[in-house]
Amino acid sequence: MNNIFDTHAHYSSRQFDADRAELLTALPAGGVVGVLECATHSGDAAQVLELAHAAPYFHAALGIHPESLIEEDAATVAVYHGDWRAELAAMRPLFADKAVAAVGEIGLDHHWPVPRQEQYDLFEAQLQLAKELDLPVSVHDREAHAEMYELLRKYKPRGALHCYSGSADDAAWLVEQGMYLGFGGAVTYKGAKRAARVLAAIPHDRALLETDCPYMAPEPMRGTRNDSRNIVHVAAYIGTLWDMDAQAVLDRTAANARACFGV
């Protein structure tokens, strides 16, 4: 298999510290042609850019994740003491780097006890930044559909909803508005019927493949550290819904990724 484009990854995670260099050399041999490496706060932005500069198939997304508002080891707390406005201002010059393809990972998360108004304001500010910089977004939406869709309708960003978990009805207006929807290992799990309905309903040119690695490895790799090569299992599953072979799914979604992020 080849032409694997992973539209949401975290290779800057500590889980890759032991063998990151070897893995990034191995990925192209495993068919990987593109990776969007996503920062979650200013503390990992430098490493995200370093990866994008070191590996020509890597592209960077810079942003502040909502969970960074409560994570003690995130720069949002450890350095800026919760002042995300100061952090975002400090990050602003980094977006001039040609390796930056998107504003991300940004969004809303109501699964964890993140203050709702603070994360809403943070997300809105980053949507405004993306519009100002004319960059796509990589969006995190966990159990926050109502507020998420309110802001997406208001700002109409281009980009991707990573690990899409909404309904087929919402997928219809989201793709009509111009968004792409990301799908990863979770679609291969038993019980992922909603994702199957969405994938069967949306235009093939609006679907993206992703890992969210090191998390969410697909079946049959579930429970292991994920990496971009495992996308072949996701493509094989989606092929059963689209009546296509896995390589055709990879080719279609790689073209979608390049169109979405302009790379």
Side-chain angles (χ1 to χ4, degrees):
M1 297 287 179
N2 54 62
N3 217 11
I4 298 168
F5 201 120
D6 184 351
T7 59
H8 197 100
H10 298 284
Y11 285 103
S12 56
S13 166
R14 293 171 185 157
Q15 292 192 39
F16 293 108
D17 283 354
D19 61 346
R20 184 180 292 108
E22 294 84 357
L23 181 59
L24 298 190
T25 299
L27 291 180
V32 178
V33 297
V35 173
L36 185 71
E37 172 71 8
C38 299
T40 56
H41 55 86
S42 61
D44 59 13
Q47 188 171 13
V48 167
L49 286 172
E50 182 180 339
L51 288 170
H53 294 155
Y57 63 98
F58 264 65
H59 312 279
L62 304 182
I64 304 173
H65 191 290
E67 289 176 36
S68 293
L69 292 168
I70 61 169
E71 291 181 345
E72 292 184 0
D73 59 349
T76 314
V77 175
V79 178
Y80 291 94
H81 310 291
D83 186 355
W84 59 263
R85 292 173 178 84
E87 182 180 19
L88 195 58
M91 291 175 69
R92 177 64 182 268
L94 299 177
F95 288 94
D97 193 305
K98 292 182 179 179
V100 177
V103 177
E105 178 179 359
I106 64 174
L108 299 173
D109 193 310
H110 291 171
H111 180 77
W112 300 110
V114 184
R116 291 203 174 196
Q117 191 61 51
E118 277 296 289
Q119 61 171 307
Y120 185 97
D121 292 345
L122 169 61
F123 181 43
E124 184 169 29
Q126 292 182 103
L127 288 175
Q128 292 169 344
L129 177 63
K131 187 173 286 288
E132 180 184 342
L133 297 176
D134 192 25
L135 283 173
V137 292
S138 182
V139 176
H140 172 98
D141 173 14
R142 190 172 187 187
E143 300 173 18
H145 296 331
E147 293 89 342
M148 171 62 61
Y149 297 159
E150 173 191 329
L151 286 172
L152 294 183
R153 287 183 190 276
K154 179 178 179 180
Y155 287 96
K156 296 181 173 56
R158 55 194 177 89
L161 264 169
H162 133 73
C163 195
Y164 181 70
S165 59
S167 68
D169 287 343
D170 286 326
W173 72 259
L174 284 162
V175 300
E176 185 176 348
Q177 185 170 285
M179 293 292 286
Y180 291 76
L181 306 181
F183 300 92
V187 305
T188 68
Y189 302 163
K190 290 181 180 178
K193 295 179 181 178
R194 173 178 274 202
R197 288 194 294 270
V198 172
L199 281 160
I202 63 172
H204 296 176
D205 64 0
R206 287 288 155 174
L208 303 175
L209 302 187
E210 60 173 66
T211 56
D212 201 22
C213 68
Y215 315 108
M216 293 203 310
E219 300 288 1
M221 312 301 293
R222 191 172 184 180
T224 67
R225 186 186 71 176
N226 202 8
D227 73 54
S228 304
R229 294 169 294 187
N230 288 333
I231 281 177
V232 296
H233 300 292
V234 181
Y237 170 74
I238 292 176
T240 67
L241 302 175
W242 288 0
D243 193 25
M244 297 166 64
D245 63 34
Q247 187 59 60
V249 174
L250 292 173
D251 292 342
R252 173 69 269 175
T253 53
N256 297 346
R258 294 185 178 96
C260 178
F261 295 108
V263 296

